[in-house]
Amino acid sequence: MDQDELAAAQAYVRLLEAARAALSDPDDAPVYLPLLTSPMREADQALRGAGLTGNEDRLFALVRALRPSLSGSGG
């Protein structure tokens, strides 16, 4: 995994964690959803920089390498 790929995988994980936090309480979600703008922008830029836009298979492989617990296979 090169530096750009690492940055993209990390940005995706941060976005995922922010989205989970923002959506954890449906009553508060409308208040927190605007806070996802920055992590979404960061992830978009990192994906473009790594050439991963539209290549979800590669992105998810990188994310699994970075955070195996996000693969859905336990752990």
Side-chain angles (χ1 to χ4, degrees), residues 9-70:
Q10 290 172 329
Y12 174 79
V13 169
R14 283 190 293 275
L15 173 58
L16 181 62
E17 290 170 348
R20 284 180 174 166
L23 299 173
S24 66
D25 184 345
D27 293 332
D28 291 336
V31 174
Y32 294 113
L33 285 177
L35 298 177
L36 295 178
T37 302
S38 179
M40 285 189 305
R41 185 174 27 255
E42 177 194 12
D44 284 344
Q45 290 172 347
L47 290 169
R48 276 194 302 276
L52 294 171
T53 301
N55 191 348
E56 291 83 5
D57 288 340
R58 177 69 181 141
L59 170 63
F60 294 143
L62 294 168
V63 169
R64 282 190 301 274
L66 182 66
R67 297 277 300 272
S69 63
L70 294 178

